[in-house]
Amino acid sequence: AVNDYDGDKNLLGVTEQFYLKILDIDRLDGRLRAWMFKNNFPQMIAIESDVETLITACNELVDSEKFMKLLEVVLAIGNYLNSGKKGSYGFQMSSLLKLKDLKATGSNINLLTYLIQFLQRNYPGISDFDKDLKHVEPASRVAIQNIQNEISEMKKGLSMVDNEIENCTPLDSSDQFRSKMINFLEKGNEQIEQLDQKFEEMNKKLQ
């Protein structure tokens, strides 16, 4: 085995010489995991763009006057259909998905089709409300739980890097692991803090 070789190391192949070199590295396994995490971190932190998409989509929904008018019309129609009952002051957004499933007795059109025709006749200016909501469709593809899991994994990774730094020998000037990882850890913690703030803002807007 290479471990037991005590002859001239220059006679060994490149692979064997490399193997013997890395055997002398302290805490090799932990360092390799730290380097792998550092290399993968840019791809992981890129999930921030999904958080920003959700925040922008929420702002678009709240700021769109056309969409707000559409919701008013839906609420008014709902109150009309429930005439005789106490007026509603709101409805679940998920109820919009059920409009196409509602039909009046003997009618050939569903409530969604009726709503479209009603808007075209009475509020033609809001029929293109979707132009105000450009980020809503991409936001619908974002899995919030995946974002939360990814943030948790990044925090664990940064904690692991911090632990490896603490176990380094700081006086070894030839070992660049510590200096490079300290620099990465500082920037990584800043990025995670910023992502945490945006994630919290996103959750407040979704409530």
Side-chain angles (χ1 to χ4, degrees):
V2 178
N3 289 3
D4 300 324
Y5 182 76
D6 58 0
D8 186 352
K9 295 180 181 179
N10 292 323
L11 298 177
L12 295 174
V14 175
T15 303
E16 288 75 15
Q17 291 186 42
F18 174 75
Y19 177 73
L20 289 174
K21 282 285 186 182
I22 64 174
L23 284 179
D24 296 331
I25 300 176
D26 185 38
R27 298 180 62 86
L28 177 62
D29 182 63
R31 289 189 176 208
L32 287 176
R33 286 188 289 109
W35 278 112
M36 289 177 63
F37 175 74
K38 178 180 181 296
N39 290 337
N40 291 331
F41 188 77
Q43 182 179 354
M44 298 173 72
I45 199 68
I47 203 168
E48 183 174 356
S49 63
D50 286 343
V51 177
E52 292 171 346
T53 295
L54 279 163
I55 291 174
T56 303
C58 289
N59 290 336
E60 288 175 347
L61 288 168
V62 173
D63 296 338
S64 173
E65 295 181 3
K66 294 179 180 180
F67 182 64
M68 288 297 109
K69 187 62 181 180
L70 170 65
L71 296 182
E72 288 179 18
V73 173
V74 172
L75 181 60
I77 291 176
N79 283 339
Y80 175 77
L81 294 175
N82 292 318
S83 57
K85 299 180 181 179
K86 186 177 180 180
S88 301
Y89 295 99
F91 56 87
Q92 296 290 328
M93 294 296 287
S94 58
S95 300
L96 296 175
L97 299 175
K98 302 176 182 178
L99 295 179
K100 62 182 176 58
D101 300 323
L102 297 176
K103 280 186 178 181
T105 304
S107 175
N108 293 323
I109 65 172
N110 57 42
L111 186 55
L112 178 60
T113 301
Y114 173 79
L115 176 62
I116 293 172
Q117 294 175 350
F118 181 84
L119 291 173
Q120 290 174 338
R121 289 195 307 268
N122 299 279
Y123 301 95
I126 70 171
S127 60
D128 61 344
F129 70 91
D130 58 303
K131 293 181 180 178
D132 295 343
L133 312 177
K134 295 179 180 178
H135 290 82
V136 172
E137 195 276 329
S140 68
R141 299 194 297 267
V142 175
I144 296 176
Q145 186 61 51
N146 288 349
I147 296 176
Q148 196 165 13
N149 292 342
E150 196 76 358
I151 291 175
S152 177
E153 286 301 310
M154 284 188 281
K155 288 180 178 179
K156 289 179 183 177
L158 289 171
S159 177
M160 177 268 295
V161 170
D162 187 34
N163 183 61
E164 289 303 318
I165 292 173
E166 289 298 320
N167 284 283
C168 280
T169 305
L171 299 178
D172 187 353
S173 59
S174 65
D175 186 358
Q176 299 184 40
F177 175 85
R178 189 171 188 276
S179 61
K180 289 186 178 295
M181 285 299 164
I182 287 176
N183 184 53
F184 162 67
L185 186 63
E186 290 175 351
K187 293 180 179 179
N189 282 330
E190 289 176 2
Q191 288 176 289
I192 282 294
E193 183 179 354
Q194 178 178 312
L195 178 56
D196 260 339
Q197 292 172 353
K198 290 184 178 180
F199 188 74
E200 183 179 353
E201 178 187 355
M202 179 201 74
N203 279 325
K204 287 181 180 178
K205 289 181 178 294
L206 290 172
Q207 290 175 356

